[in-house]
Amino acid sequence: MDCEGLVRTWLKDSFEITLPGCGGGDKIVPSKDDRFGDWQCNDAMGIAKKAGKNPRELATAVIAACPLPSILEKAEVAGPGFINLTLSKSAVAAGIRAMGADCHLSIPQIGAGKKVVIDYSSPNVAKPMHIGHIRSTVIGNAIDRIRRALGYEVIADNHLGDWGTQFGILIMGYRHFLTEAERAALTVELLEMVYVKSYNATKSDPAWLDQCREELVKLQAGDADNLAVWKLFIEISMKEFSRIYQRLGVTFDLYRGESYYQPMLATTVDLLKEKGLATQSEGAWIVDLKEDGLEVAIVRKSDGGFNYTTTDIATVRSRVEEFNPERIIYVTDERQQLHFRQFFHICEKLGLCEKTALQHVWFGLMRLPDATFSTRQGNVIKLETLLDEAAVRARKIVDESHPDWSEADRAKLAEAIGIGAIKYADLSHDPITMIVFTWERALALEGNSGPYLQYANARINSLLDKYRETVGGHPLENTLILSNGAEKQLALWLLQYSTAVQRAGDLCKPNVLADYLYQLSQLYSSFYQSSPVLKAEPAIRDSRICLCALVSQVLRSGLTLLGIPTPERI
RNA sequence: GCGAUUGUAGCUCAAUUGGAUAGAGCAUUGGCCUCCGAAGCCAAAGGUUGUGGGUUCGAUCCCCGCCAGUCGCACCA
């Protein structure tokens, strides 16, 4: 049995002996402050209250009730009735041993046998990815990686915006505003440019607008020419998206855009009609959600077209039928909360949620200090520009610290640091917080930042190298001694890794893990400063290098779960 | 107006979901490279947790009122 389980059982037994029939206290949490021991149990107060007893007396009686498990050095009562537990150093060392050589293995496989679909990133075709896409992509990908580590079978699906009214406008623009040469070397930038031109034309020229509609109808009817152009748009867009995803280290299992579900829309509305859920109002088909306290949802527009509510319902039907997942997680910005609540309710009424939970993980918008990002104001920052700028800033420092490295090595490292900085800046905040974008914050390289964590890891790597050169052997197999407080604190924190991963996964909040890793790095840096490793006497040296190796393992594992690169050298 | 959500140090954020003296980073001030990597470490200063009530042994966290910000509220997604 593991240490925690042992102590929990002891506490529970103690409580039951003290207070028959009152349920045992078995909740132990790590203490915030080492003055309060390593772990603490705060149940005595609540239980004493219920039983009408004095909490301090109860806590004292609990400790006296059963002999202390050998792994505990001491247990004492403090304050109103806290039970503070101090673990023996050998028990902590044993706990670390139990983590195994590969800390990935210590992550509880709570998702084994469960399938989950995660729908994230989902940019629109024919538009460049901009800064507004980064949160869904980075947060979604971290949740994806964390859930996989927890044993879930994850299907990451990129629900591309590849179908909709914009394509009529786009096709007209493509045919009239581009030269032969431009069409031959088509880019997303060109597509965006012609879209804007064509869109403006619809405002000033009614005949143009009619033609756009006509092209859209032709496309939807399967016209070969328009279909070919549409496919070209997707191909061009995917090329650019792939380039960015590769830089970000993001991969998907599926790229099923809205167009994939297009053939299922009519039957989905038919089903809603059959079930008596859809009714006609003002020429449109709607689902009334008044009894759920929500606005009506339109499932078929008065012009006969479908909208995103219908597409999303069809998507759920398709996913439930094909994958039968335990859960579908959507990662989008906060503006879509109402929409998700609406169509989740409709799915429930359709009986789609019996085995599949639908979850909307929303995040706050990213905005500028004095404005929101908007295409109309022309203040959007392209995602690629952001990544480039990050690499440039990192490059300056890399050049200073490694003038002897090759050009290629320096470029590669700068990229890893830049991407790490950007991702960490996002992942270290609770998703629901609104992010006010500034270059300084997004690309921070010091303090609580991605590079700080990467740096800690790189330093350990070089320490490990030196150890192998001078001493040899396998650091991870050395005996742990934990001779001082800093070492014990570090070891105790290492033991918390699996809970941090699980909490981050359960809550869909990657910042829980980011926070854990940051604290680990801080504890390590502190330890590193105060405790010499290679110069210590052999037994201590071997133990400390083992601790370093463990920290490095956890850092690598954790950063990887966040999708942050871990360069060997910085 | 209705609904969601936020308000914590000058700024950006934490606080293991109700626990002990509310913690970090940035910025400011002072110290540490003759010593395993200074993208680092140590220290100082910085707080009536928006505000007023309530619940209880205990509240940043739960409940009610008010103030302020952000987002949404029928055919774009």
Side-chain angles (χ1 to χ4, degrees):
Chain A
M1 183 186 283
D2 61 315
C3 301
E4 197 172 316
L6 203 73
V7 172
R8 192 172 283 147
T9 308
W10 168 69
L11 270 171
K12 203 173 164 86
D13 290 349
S14 309
F15 269 110
E16 274 173 1
I17 286 164
T18 320
L19 266 185
C22 202
D26 61 351
K27 200 182 151 202
I28 50 176
V29 293
S31 302
K32 261 185 200 170
D33 193 312
D34 53 11
R35 284 171 305 170
F36 307 138
D38 303 325
W39 291 345
Q40 57 178 291
C41 171
N42 304 331
D43 290 356
M45 277 95 73
I47 291 173
K49 174 76 181 169
K50 260 188 238 160
K53 293 204 170 189
N54 177 308
R56 262 199 85 97
E57 281 171 18
L58 173 68
T60 311
V62 161
I63 291 172
C66 298
L68 211 59
S70 61
I71 58 167
L72 287 182
E73 202 169 280
K74 65 178 172 187
E76 51 191 7
V77 180
F82 296 103
I83 300 174
N84 293 339
L85 309 168
T86 305
L87 288 154
S88 72
K89 285 184 179 134
S90 59
V92 176
I96 292 278
R97 273 284 152 258
M99 276 180 80
D102 179 359
C103 61
H104 261 314
L105 299 177
S106 75
I107 297 171
Q109 298 298 294
I110 56 168
K114 291 180 185 165
K115 208 182 278 184
V116 51
V117 174
I118 308 182
D119 180 326
Y120 66 95
S121 197
S122 311
N124 286 327
V125 160
K127 287 184 190 168
M129 281 180 92
H130 57 83
I131 200 163
H133 293 109
I134 195 163
R135 298 206 79 189
S136 177
T137 307
V138 167
I139 295 169
N141 185 244
I143 294 171
D144 175 351
R145 288 163 178 264
I146 292 168
R147 301 293 276 226
R148 276 178 217 268
L150 288 165
Y152 290 93
E153 180 187 338
V154 174
I155 299 164
D157 190 3
N158 195 341
H159 193 70
L160 299 162
D162 64 355
W163 197 255
T165 48
Q166 75 269 30
F167 284 100
I169 296 169
L170 213 44
I171 289 172
M172 282 294 283
Y174 172 77
R175 297 221 167 108
H176 293 85
F177 299 130
L178 289 179
T179 64
E180 268 314 308
E182 284 172 331
R183 261 178 247 166
L186 194 59
T187 63
V188 174
E189 283 69 30
L190 284 170
L191 284 176
E192 191 191 35
M193 186 269 288
V194 299
Y195 176 82
V196 172
K197 269 193 181 176
S198 182
Y199 176 79
N200 290 336
T202 62
K203 293 292 169 196
S204 56
D205 181 358
W208 185 273
L209 178 61
D210 285 342
Q211 280 191 60
C212 288
R213 284 188 181 137
E214 203 175 304
E215 295 303 335
L216 178 66
V217 171
K218 275 167 74 183
L219 173 66
Q220 290 176 338
D223 174 82
D225 286 347
N226 282 9
L227 222 46
V229 174
W230 170 73
K231 280 181 180 157
L232 177 67
F233 294 163
I234 293 177
E235 190 187 315
I236 297 296
S237 303
M238 282 306 301
K239 218 181 270 177
E240 166 163 323
F241 295 162
S242 303
R243 197 170 64 232
I244 291 175
Y245 288 141
Q246 194 167 2
R247 283 183 81 175
L248 289 172
V250 171
T251 55
F252 295 92
D253 301 296
L254 296 173
Y255 290 87
R256 282 193 188 157
E258 290 160 354
S259 63
Y260 178 87
Y261 305 97
Q262 212 269 337
M264 312 169 200
L265 301 183
T267 54
T268 297
V269 173
D270 288 345
L271 181 68
L272 287 166
K273 289 182 196 168
E274 268 171 44
K275 298 247 180 179
L277 294 170
T279 53
Q280 227 163 356
S281 164
E282 295 175 30
W285 284 90
I286 62 158
V287 177
D288 192 337
L289 296 166
K290 221 173 281 167
E291 61 179 39
D292 300 298
L294 295 171
E295 310 287 328
V296 298
I298 292 177
V299 291
R300 181 153 204 174
K301 299 188 285 182
S302 49
D303 68 1
F306 302 99
N307 65 0
Y308 67 139
T309 305
T310 326
T311 311
D312 280 339
I313 297 166
T315 303
V316 171
R317 289 182 72 197
S318 166
R319 285 172 178 164
V320 166
E321 191 182 331
E322 185 174 350
F323 304 117
N324 189 26
E326 181 240 2
R327 180 175 295 269
I328 304 176
I329 297 173
Y330 296 84
V331 186
T332 83
D333 73 60
E334 59 181 325
R335 290 176 301 187
Q336 301 196 34
Q337 286 174 86
L338 176 60
H339 164 246
F340 277 100
R341 274 212 297 276
Q342 286 177 323
F343 103 79
F344 285 179
H345 270 100
I346 298 173
C347 289
E348 210 159 304
K349 289 176 198 289
L350 284 174
L352 294 169
C353 302
E354 280 163 18
K355 289 180 183 166
T356 305
L358 301 176
Q359 183 179 4
H360 181 210
V361 174
W362 59 267
F363 53 84
L365 281 175
M366 191 176 275
R367 47 181 296 141
L368 290 165
D370 48 352
T372 51
F373 286 109
S374 83
T375 322
R376 267 173 42 208
Q377 289 179 41
N379 61 1
V380 289
I381 298 169
K382 283 182 60 190
L383 195 39
E384 207 149 32
T385 309
L386 177 69
L387 303 186
D388 290 344
E389 178 67 20
V392 166
R393 295 198 184 203
R395 180 62 191 264
K396 279 182 196 154
I397 299 179
V398 172
D399 284 346
E400 280 169 25
S401 51
H402 299 293
D404 52 320
W405 284 21
S406 74
E407 162 67 27
D409 284 348
R410 280 183 286 170
K412 197 176 162 198
L413 177 61
E415 174 79 2
I417 291 172
I419 298 287
I422 287 175
K423 285 190 161 194
Y424 187 86
D426 201 334
L427 294 172
S428 58
H429 295 99
D430 187 321
I432 64 174
T433 53
M434 177 180 74
I435 293 214
V436 177
F437 180 88
T438 65
W439 287 100
E440 291 66 36
R441 280 178 216 147
L443 306 178
L445 305 175
E446 290 169 6
N448 188 354
S449 68
Y452 175 86
L453 304 189
Q454 293 172 320
Y455 177 74
N457 182 56
R459 257 191 332 191
I460 298 175
N461 281 334
S462 83
L463 203 54
L464 286 169
D465 275 358
K466 285 190 176 121
Y467 180 84
R468 290 195 194 96
E469 281 165 23
T470 54
V471 182
H474 302 281
L476 280 170
E477 290 165 13
N478 293 348
T479 309
L480 265 182
I481 297 173
L482 304 183
S483 59
N484 65 27
E487 290 166 306
K488 189 178 165 191
Q489 288 310 114
L490 196 51
L492 276 167
W493 194 243
L494 282 167
L495 288 173
Q496 290 299 313
Y497 179 59
S498 57
T499 17
V501 175
Q502 191 177 336
R503 251 173 61 79
D506 284 346
L507 301 173
C508 291
K509 288 181 188 292
N511 66 300
V512 170
L513 177 56
D515 222 60
Y516 168 86
L517 294 172
Y518 176 60
Q519 285 191 52
L520 178 66
S521 299
Q522 275 188 313
L523 283 171
Y524 172 76
S525 295
S526 227
F527 154 80
Y528 175 83
Q529 201 73 24
S530 63
S531 313
V533 177
L534 300 179
K535 286 172 205 143
E537 60 173 283
I540 302 289
R541 175 198 65 195
D542 293 349
S543 166
R544 284 183 180 165
I545 199 74
C546 175
L547 211 47
C548 291
L550 285 159
V551 172
S552 169
Q553 286 249 323
V554 171
L555 279 177
R556 274 212 309 277
S557 167
L559 286 171
T560 304
L561 293 188
L562 294 176
I564 294 175
T566 53
E568 288 288 304
R569 284 296 129 78
I570 283 189

